[in-house]
Amino acid sequence: MSEQHRPDEHSEERPFSRLADDLQPRLIGGPDDYVLRANGPVQYVVVANIEGILGALFASDAEGAVSYVVRREQGPDASNSSGFWRDLRRSAKQRGLAPTEALAEMVQQGGYPFPGRALPGPWQEAPSLAALREEIVGDGKWHREPRDLKIHAYPVIPFRGPKMLAPQVTEEMRRSARRPPAG
């Protein structure tokens, strides 16, 4: 390159190159998904794992919204669980389910054990998404580790295999336990 075509290091002029042009990002597609926010009333269920309340799944048929509100106080477990719920939500959208139908399916499937599962009981209603965030994320009204959460967060799985026998303590075992060590 000659001296007269080289840009001055202090000038605003940039060399001509396709690599030097500014990028122009364009959204060209993506997976079908529900609206992730709602302005009106929402129905919700609380999601928990053994560590505590992770957040809430909510739905609004009027606005076509289904999503997951994370309770940030629970740390990475709560944030990381959102991917599991996102995949279930997108799957429901692809099958054409209404928002409350999608919520019902998500509640039934649940994530065991890491992403948590919906606590049993009737769905609750919040006047808005902001109110739901206050209820779940806000003032710390939820105890971080409720005593009975283990019962609600993990289903009872019936054991169908062979029964394991408990060891029988024999008189010989008792005598050997009472003997002084040989020394």
Side-chain angles (χ1 to χ4, degrees):
M1 226 179 182
S2 68
E3 277 298 316
Q4 77 189 116
H5 287 39
R6 197 175 304 168
D8 185 16
E9 61 186 66
H10 300 292
S11 75
E12 294 295 317
E13 184 182 336
R14 295 190 308 185
F16 175 75
S17 167
R18 291 199 182 266
L19 297 175
D21 289 346
D22 290 335
L23 295 176
Q24 302 290 324
R26 290 179 292 148
L27 182 62
I28 57 172
D32 282 343
D33 208 346
Y34 293 97
V35 176
L36 302 179
R37 299 179 196 272
N39 296 321
V42 295
Q43 294 180 313
Y44 72 95
V45 292
V46 176
V47 174
N49 69 4
I50 196 69
E51 298 299 320
I53 306 296
L54 298 175
L57 292 166
F58 73 87
S60 170
D61 277 334
E63 299 183 47
V66 177
S67 193
Y68 177 63
V69 176
V70 175
R71 186 167 176 249
R72 301 235 183 261
E73 300 92 79
Q74 280 299 90
D77 283 348
S79 298
N80 292 340
S81 67
S82 63
F84 173 79
W85 299 111
R86 179 200 61 226
D87 292 345
L88 288 179
R89 182 185 70 229
R90 286 181 177 167
S91 171
K93 178 67 174 181
Q94 288 175 349
R95 289 180 280 119
L97 297 180
T100 51
E101 291 172 340
L103 180 60
E105 184 177 277
M106 292 164 72
V107 166
Q108 289 297 318
Q109 289 185 1
Y112 177 77
F114 167 69
R117 46 186 313 112
L119 294 182
W123 292 4
Q124 300 174 42
E125 189 161 325
S128 68
L129 186 55
L132 172 60
R133 288 184 192 280
E134 269 304 306
E135 180 75 16
I136 294 299
V137 180
D139 62 3
K141 98 174 200 180
W142 300 96
H143 190 275
R144 189 172 168 88
E145 297 175 19
R147 283 180 285 143
D148 61 346
L149 191 59
K150 188 171 187 175
I151 296 167
H152 295 303
Y154 291 97
V156 175
I157 301 172
F159 183 70
R160 302 214 189 285
K163 303 288 185 211
M164 295 180 67
L165 299 175
Q168 297 290 334
V169 179
T170 64
E171 280 303 312
E172 179 62 32
M173 290 175 163
R174 287 190 180 112
R175 269 185 284 173
S176 67
R178 283 187 241 138
R179 283 189 216 146

